[in-house]
Amino acid sequence: MSNNSIFIKKLRSSGLRPTKQRIKICKLLFERKNTFHFTINYLNNILKNKYAEKISLATVYNTVNAFKKKGHLKEILISSDKSYYDTNVSNHHHFFDENKRELIDLDDKDVGKINIKKALPGKKINSIEVLVKIANNN
């Protein structure tokens, strides 16, 4: 199976038609060894710099959201108006460096046991993700 066929399969499984632009987005996100944290605008800027062909912001948004809905990406809400996305969808936590505006992975083993004492009727906890905001010591 060639690399493109892997990306085409991922796009189709996410309900997307595998256009040239979407394949480029998919490669940029998933053809890497390390976790990739990004905002939509950051991803769009990388795409602009990497490819001569313009990829519309709407295509970037729609592709990222389809991957998120399918479980290929995780969304990390930093604030009510700022989201980052993560290609590592396993259970793990994050530092958010407020000075550099970047996410840094924090392994599950590096966070102690979390005890939630309140229960909501008819609800169960699916997962707990810790976001630790850090800044320079000034």
Side-chain angles (χ1 to χ4, degrees), residues 9-127:
K9 184 176 179 182
K10 190 176 286 264
L11 286 160
R12 285 189 175 140
S13 76
S14 301
L16 295 171
R17 193 168 49 89
T19 62
K20 288 179 190 176
Q21 294 88 359
R22 288 183 181 136
I23 291 170
K24 288 176 181 176
I25 295 167
C26 193
K27 279 184 173 184
L28 186 62
L29 292 175
F30 302 110
E31 191 175 58
R32 54 182 65 238
K33 291 180 184 178
N34 297 324
T35 297
F36 180 45
H37 299 112
F38 63 94
T39 63
I40 296 287
N41 287 334
Y42 180 64
L43 179 62
N44 193 46
N45 287 335
I46 293 173
L47 289 163
K48 280 181 189 176
N49 292 331
K50 187 170 175 112
Y51 300 110
E53 176 187 1
K54 183 171 177 1
I55 300 174
S56 77
L57 188 57
T59 299
V60 176
Y61 267 107
N62 292 338
T63 304
V64 167
N65 283 319
F67 285 148
K68 183 186 87 171
K69 285 179 186 172
K70 187 62 178 175
H72 298 305
L73 294 173
K74 182 187 289 190
E75 183 176 16
I76 296 97
L77 297 170
I78 302 301
S79 64
S80 62
D81 63 341
K82 190 71 164 177
S83 289
Y84 280 72
Y85 296 87
D86 191 348
T87 57
N88 178 356
V89 294
S90 70
N91 286 333
H92 67 287
H93 312 285
H94 292 96
F95 285 114
F96 179 68
D97 187 322
E98 293 180 324
N99 301 108
K100 293 181 180 179
R101 310 296 298 165
E102 73 178 359
L103 283 175
I104 303 157
D105 284 340
L106 178 60
D107 288 334
D108 212 25
K109 67 180 176 18
D110 294 326
V111 176
K113 183 179 177 186
I114 298 170
N115 185 11
I116 308 295
K117 295 181 180 184
K118 181 176 179 165
L120 298 175
K123 303 288 182 180
K124 70 177 181 82
I125 295 173
N126 288 333
S127 68

